[in-house]
Amino acid sequence: MNDRQAADVASPNRTKEVIRKHGFTLKKSLGQNFLTDANILHKIAASAGLDSAKGVLEIGPGIGALTQQLAKAAGKVVAVEIDGRLLPILEETLAPYPHVSVVHGDVLKIDLDALWREHFSGCSKVSVVANLPYYVTTPIIMKLLDRKLPLEYIVVMIQREVAERMSAKPGGKEYGSLSIAVQYYAETEIVAIVPPTVFIPQPNVDSAVIRLKLREAPPVHVEDEALFFDVVHACFAQRRKTISNNLLAGLFDKASKPAMEAILADCGIDPSRRGETLAIDEYARLSNAILAYRRQSR
Ligand code: SAM
């Protein structure tokens, strides 16, 4: 098989042919919606700024349509696939690319630090590029972000609605704890909106390609990250409640209400505001002040 034939995996006919030839049945429970549009695959691969010195981790290669594009652009590709039935297919579609390694496993369980050491030590930079299985989008992205892996970009196809929540700014209904968690680690950009028609089988929702550019340092100074995320989660626990009521339900008790009010006043945050109106720097200020209060009242 040469490069041209391999690239043809990214067409509806070739995808159907590969699936038929191997007697493969798609599993909805594994989020198996295969991309069949060459233009979108090129756009995803191009968004990661790859070159022959860089490495890519792909999650869920399926039959290898995106993997082939990544292999053409990067010096090393590691593709983690949970479904063992796809391995013989990948062996065939990826045969022209010896610098691609397929790892059979669940990305949520795999030891990513070990995978890095084994495969990426010679790469100048590494990115994650994937058409993600939609049933585990958020856990996968949060695992990649909070392990603080040395990543350049995460470029992923996900549900449009989730991409909009990840990139939302304060004030709107999409803005929530996911927006803050993602934006704490990365700058976000929606690169493309993708209709269901380019997948086999078609999902029920629109999709989007989102690019996360990992930050070298968080955009705000946070003294205790676990507490920062606890404060964010508490403030969004009931979206229609004020932050004062949410904080009282989650992090303070009645006896410490005056202290909480003093903290909010010190931070210049009106207690009657809702969680969705607070910017990330206000959450940082608030969590640092709560930490100082806890230390001093110990
Ligand atoms: N990359 C292919 C494409 O673009 O056509 C397939 C994408 S499909 C949306 C998602 C892929 O992720 C499937 O191949 C599925 O078997 C795989 N997958 C699902 N859950 C996974 C997990 N936890 N770890 C690794 N791969 C997984």
Side-chain angles (χ1 to χ4, degrees), residues 236-276:
F236 281 102
Q238 296 216 32
R239 289 187 75 98
R240 283 191 301 195
K241 278 193 175 176
T242 62
I243 46 168
S244 161
N245 282 337
N246 270 329
L247 285 171
L248 271 179
L251 290 176
F252 290 86
D253 52 26
K254 274 212 176 105
S256 54
K257 188 176 178 193
M260 181 200 74
E261 286 169 345
I263 290 170
L264 286 168
D266 276 356
C267 292
I269 298 171
D270 181 337
S272 67
R273 286 169 65 186
R274 300 207 167 117
E276 68 198 37

Side-chain angles (χ1 to χ4, degrees), residues 183-194:
Q183 292 169 36
Y184 181 75
Y185 295 109
E187 289 169 42
T188 65
E189 183 190 349
I190 294 182
V191 175
I193 301 292
V194 181

Side-chain angles (χ1 to χ4, degrees), residues 40 42 61 64 66 118 130 135 137 198 219 222 232 236 264 273 295:
I40 293 172
H42 292 154
L66 177 59
E118 187 179 343
Y135 76 107
T137 301
V198 299
V222 166
V232 171
F236 281 102
L264 286 168
R273 286 169 65 186
R295 279 184 178 151

